[in-house]
Amino acid sequence: MGREPRRVRTRFAPSPTGFLHVGAFRTALFSYLLAKRYGGDFLLRIEDTDQKRLVKGSLEHIIQSLNALGTPYDEGPDRASVAALPEAYGTVDPALLPENGGAFGPYIQSLRKARYTEVVESLLDAGKAYWAFETEEELAGKRAACDARKIPYRYDRHFRDYDLAEARKRVADGERAVVRLKMPTEGPIRTVDFLRGETLWDANTQDDFIILKADGLPPYHLAAMVDDHDMEISHVLRGEEWISSTPKHVSVFQAMGWEPPIFLHTPGVLGNDRKKLGKRNGAKPLLGPVPEFDKNYVPTGEFLIGYLNQDGILPEALFNFLSICGWSPGNDREVMTREEIIEAFDISKISPSPAIFDLEKLQWMNGVYIRSLSPSAFYEKARPYLPEGLDADYAAAAIALEQERVKELREVPEVTDFFFSELPEYSERSVAKWLKGSGAYLAELDSAIAALPEWSVAAIEAAVRSVAASHKREKGEATHPVRVALTGREVGPGLFELMAVLGKERLAVRFKKAKELADGGTDS
Ligand code: GLU
């Protein structure tokens, strides 16, 4: 009889140990896409059994990041389970948490201790695991002995056949002990990776690894497998650094008589320089500059979280960009909506070689998304980057002139600041180059503009052209002095458009100042 196809259930299982890196998030995104492609479930599971590495605030950061990027979890931490965590986790805004996290909870490993103990006990009972009593010093000695002989260290399995009743007595008496899994001693251990196929691992290279630490919590190697089984995960997508641990993981499934999920190890994400993605070549926290994880950032709304709130990448653009970071729908399409990506997503088209995080491409793509916004949506998105207290209509009209050109929202204040200051900033260089000698020209323009009966881009252009003609000025000679006079810059949005937005009063003030600066030059 054929096996029932499993419901597609995937998980993102980060440890709350700091900010979420784009590489980790890219793998989470693939898990999300796979689940959504088949109408399945995407889970968030917090892997916190290594309590020493806990970083306050990172739990909230993980959840905020998933929401901000548009990959919220179907099942995961809920209010009650988060409330049960000690203070060291920091707080999580309850608005971010579901009332009920799902039928397989809690989704936080430190709250699942009893279940892991149960599994470990059953492995002990079945003779598939054993208590080991070496002290830290004894283990260090064993390791040193291997080092001295220049052979790779493996635990010598000293307690592998130790009497269980005896061992339990010692544990009950409070002796420090760990539980180790009995790994096969011969024959290959077979693992299958969805992208790479089968690997046969020599049993001689495998260790009887620890499945319960002396502190009573299991390490990742046990906890994650128990959870993947219990939570009915169908596909484990995780970073390729876990490939060499897969023999351990399939051995846990085998020992328990469980069917393993499909493993797919995602190739890493490298920087443009083909080196590991780090601060140097583009890696950033998804959640803005939060190295301290203190509570000084309290962003809300969709910008908040941005890797991208620093730079102003739109979440849709990041979603799209990361989806093609190591995956391609098999044609040349790159710009796709969320729905198109989900529809096309196919794990067999994940590239087996490392993906390149090409920041320039992300910026280009973000530009595409920015251009597709309506002017009012663009204004709403750009608002957090603009100074406060601006007149909304004026600011919206001003920045609309740059919508075609900006690639990141953070550029908006920089390229539009001349609209919002009393006077532009004039550099000595452009004053010398474009204003000196243009005083009379600017004076006449000032009067012509002031006298315009109708305010439109066309009327402004006609007026400027006619004054320029009477001064025998053509092309750059006609427009550059005006642009510099009004904006302080030599490049920028369309001159007549920006004049129309600035309006008569602001233009008059600027022409006056520019004429003063032009004074002293010889006019043409
Ligand atoms: N907790 C592991 C990590 O943060 C997750 C690996 C996995 O997805 O299984 O690296």
Side-chain angles (χ1 to χ4, degrees), residues 60 63 67 73 77-80 82 91-99:
E60 180 172 67
I63 299 173
N67 289 347
Y73 51 87
D78 57 22
R79 287 184 200 166
V82 170
T91 54
V92 180
D93 179 353
L96 293 169
L97 297 168
E99 195 66 61

Side-chain angles (χ1 to χ4, degrees), residues 11-15 17 45 47 53 220 224-225 228 236-239 241-242:
R11 88 296 191 286
F12 177 41
S15 299
T17 52
R45 182 172 76 225
E47 301 205 325
R53 293 174 58 226
Y220 168 76
M225 301 311 118
D228 286 337
V236 167
L237 271 63
R238 58 182 184 182
E241 66 274 20
W242 295 106

Side-chain angles (χ1 to χ4, degrees), residues 5-39:
R6 281 189 180 185
R7 179 174 172 78
V8 173
R9 287 172 58 82
T10 63
R11 88 296 191 286
F12 177 41
S15 299
T17 52
F19 68 68
L20 208 50
H21 183 283
V22 277
F25 181 74
R26 195 285 316 260
T27 300
L29 176 61
F30 284 178
S31 290
Y32 172 86
L33 291 171
L34 175 61
K36 296 297 129 185
R37 170 67 183 83
Y38 294 100

